[in-house]
Amino acid sequence: MEEKKMTEKESLELVSRMIQATRQNLVKGSGNYFLVYGYTALVLSIAIYALFYVTGNTLWSIGWFLMFLPMSVIAFRKKKNKPLVVTYTDGMVKKVWQVIGSLFSLTIFVMLVLMFITGKCDFVLMLPLSLLYAGIGTAITGLVIKESCLVYGSFVGFVFAVYMLMSYTLNGGTEMIWNLYFGLSLTVMMVVPGHVLNNKIEKL
């Protein structure tokens, strides 16, 4: 009986160490995924909205494709700073974001196909869809590494995404103010939790 209790205790300690290692890998190994994507989104949201406000040209929305740049930066940094320990929870988080990344790519592909078929497409719709995808990935990551600020922060993204989609159906189109909503959502959903994670890891 005593041996079973010790086994359970050791199992819990192992899980706890894996979660802590995953937190550290998210923060240290890649420059913190959440801060990289969050700040990129914030800067782009302000820049794209400002350019539209000055020029009145909605084509500036194409600037959102720059969100793919952090992927290259993170991939490069991961090659230089490979984590010493790769845990099961690392693998879980990685697979979650691989699925989310596939959803991004698939959505863009479908939009492009429909654009060639119908001759029209509103790529600004990617903003609410991206919030839903990123929110799901962030929430699951928060649950895996037991970080409540990631879980609760993702709710902000969900609320803005639903608002945008409802607004689209009611008003019959997208609005450029969505750019600022997107930047605000990613700030709450990724930038704030990213700094919280950094602070927690630095205190260890």
Side-chain angles (χ1 to χ4, degrees):
M1 190 70 180
E2 185 68 22
E3 184 178 348
K4 183 179 178 182
K5 286 184 179 179
M6 285 297 294
T7 303
E8 289 175 355
K9 181 180 179 181
E10 289 171 357
S11 177
L12 288 172
E13 288 177 350
L14 177 61
V15 172
S16 179
R17 287 198 298 269
M18 284 197 299
I19 290 172
Q20 193 58 45
T22 301
R23 285 181 176 182
Q24 290 176 327
N25 289 341
L26 281 172
V27 171
K28 300 295 184 183
S30 61
N32 196 318
Y33 292 96
F34 301 108
L35 291 181
V36 172
Y37 281 105
Y39 276 121
T40 301
L42 179 60
V43 171
L44 283 176
S45 68
I46 296 172
I48 291 171
Y49 182 79
L51 288 167
F52 166 75
Y53 187 81
V54 172
T55 65
N57 192 339
T58 58
L59 286 177
W60 288 110
S61 296
I62 201 171
W64 280 114
F65 282 99
L66 292 173
M67 282 296 294
F68 286 101
L69 281 178
M71 291 183 186
S72 303
V73 174
I74 287 173
F76 176 75
R77 294 193 64 169
K78 282 179 73 174
K79 284 185 178 181
K80 290 182 64 177
N81 305 303
K82 289 185 178 180
L84 296 175
V85 178
V86 179
T87 66
Y88 175 74
T89 51
D90 285 324
M92 286 179 62
V93 171
K94 182 180 179 180
K95 285 180 173 61
V96 166
W97 285 103
Q98 284 176 341
V99 172
I100 298 301
S102 298
L103 288 175
F104 279 112
S105 301
L106 180 61
T107 303
I108 292 173
F109 174 75
V110 171
M111 282 186 162
L112 287 172
V113 170
L114 290 175
M115 183 180 71
F116 284 116
I117 294 174
T118 64
K120 55 183 179 180
C121 180
D122 194 345
F123 273 103
V124 181
L125 274 172
M126 273 300 296
L127 294 179
L129 293 174
S130 295
L131 281 180
L132 289 175
Y133 301 155
I136 292 170
T138 301
I140 294 175
T141 301
L143 291 171
V144 170
I145 66 173
K146 299 185 182 298
E147 190 58 60
S148 58
C149 62
L150 286 171
V151 178
Y152 296 132
S154 65
F155 293 160
V156 175
F158 293 141
V159 169
F160 272 106
V162 172
Y163 168 77
M164 290 180 197
L165 293 173
M166 289 297 294
S167 175
Y168 182 83
T169 58
L170 293 173
N171 300 328
T174 57
E175 302 174 42
M176 289 307 294
I177 192 72
W178 286 14
N179 293 284
L180 297 183
Y181 293 159
F182 187 85
L184 175 62
S185 298
L186 266 289
T187 299
V188 176
M189 195 164 65
M190 291 187 169
V191 174
V192 174
H195 283 295
V196 171
L197 271 174
N198 275 353
N199 290 334
K200 287 185 176 181
I201 296 302
E202 286 174 2
K203 288 178 181 178
L204 293 177

